[in-house]
Amino acid sequence: MKKIVVMLYGLAFGMLSFSAQAISPEALPLQSGWEKANYEFTGKQQIEAFEKLISKADETKKHSPEQPDVLIWHGIIYASYAGIKGGLSALSLAKTAKADLEKAIEIDDQALNGSAYTTLGTLYYKVPGWPLGFGDKATAEKLLKNALRLNPQGIDSNYFYALFLLDKKQYKQAESYLLFAKTATPRADRPLANKGRLMEIDKALAEVNKQTSHHGDANTVN
């Protein structure tokens, strides 16, 4: 089965303007926990960090089942862990994330500047399609564009849409969104997340440069 690679973003990120929408005290430990697990660890240590974070996220969701930012971060954590785990177990994790994000959108689609759309859209194009999974690129594009509509200046909304375009081999378009994401105003309270995302943007730009130098741009929609 296709590996689900979802470097779910500290959506805290995905919404760059946290100054506009403060994260709740309940969701804040999930955000910071994700940031450390995602950017400070690799290999076995990262898996262990995410396993502990999953337990914490489950407990938080149990006490705040209708709180959109808790649902969003619960979904991000599960989606990120799916990307690390891969295999059949990853699909189950991705389905849990999908349910969380859909519920968050139903309650308040603008929570955390529309971050649920960014993560959900990424899941839709990374997860295998029917009959194995729920993946669908047309749905993914719609969701990612909704994220951009709600947060046009956000580092994550632009970065993840760029990755979608890169997946479709639309390299020049991807490059423009990556470069825009790179100029997003950094969050003063998220130095680790800022640094990690910028490194990922540079890695994606390097891939764009590699592909365009070898093949040129492709604008065909897959």
Side-chain angles (χ1 to χ4, degrees), residues 65-218:
E66 302 293 326
Q67 197 161 309
D69 59 353
V70 168
L71 289 167
I72 289 170
W73 272 107
H74 191 274
I76 291 169
I77 290 164
Y78 266 75
S80 297
Y81 190 45
I84 294 167
K85 290 272 287 183
L88 291 175
S89 62
L91 186 56
S92 176
L93 293 165
K95 287 179 178 178
T96 297
K98 176 178 177 288
D100 288 330
L101 298 164
E102 288 175 340
K103 185 174 181 180
I105 289 170
E106 183 180 331
I107 295 170
D108 180 5
D109 71 336
Q110 297 187 49
L112 297 181
N113 294 341
S115 293
Y117 284 117
T118 308
T119 308
L120 188 58
T122 302
L123 280 173
Y124 262 97
Y125 87 86
K126 290 292 187 181
V127 168
W130 187 89
L132 290 176
F134 57 84
D136 183 282
K137 290 190 177 182
T139 301
E141 184 167 22
K142 180 180 178 181
L143 291 165
L144 291 167
K145 284 183 175 179
N146 275 340
L148 280 169
R149 174 179 57 82
L150 290 170
N151 193 19
Q153 307 297 319
I155 188 171
D156 282 344
S157 53
N158 282 278
Y159 169 68
F160 283 100
Y161 186 58
L163 292 189
F164 174 73
L165 294 171
L166 183 56
D167 185 70
K168 293 174 66 179
K169 299 182 173 59
Q170 295 184 1
Y171 301 121
K172 289 299 183 183
Q173 294 94 324
E175 182 180 43
S176 68
Y177 281 95
L178 288 168
L179 291 173
F180 189 82
K182 197 169 181 176
T183 67
T185 304
R187 294 134 307 159
D189 59 338
R190 304 286 313 286
L192 179 59
N194 291 335
K195 181 180 178 181
R197 184 62 77 227
L198 289 172
M199 289 175 65
E200 289 167 352
I201 290 171
D202 285 339
K203 183 177 179 180
L205 283 169
E207 179 63 20
V208 167
N209 292 333
K210 176 183 174 182
Q211 294 297 333
T212 54
S213 63
H214 289 170
H215 308 294
D217 189 29

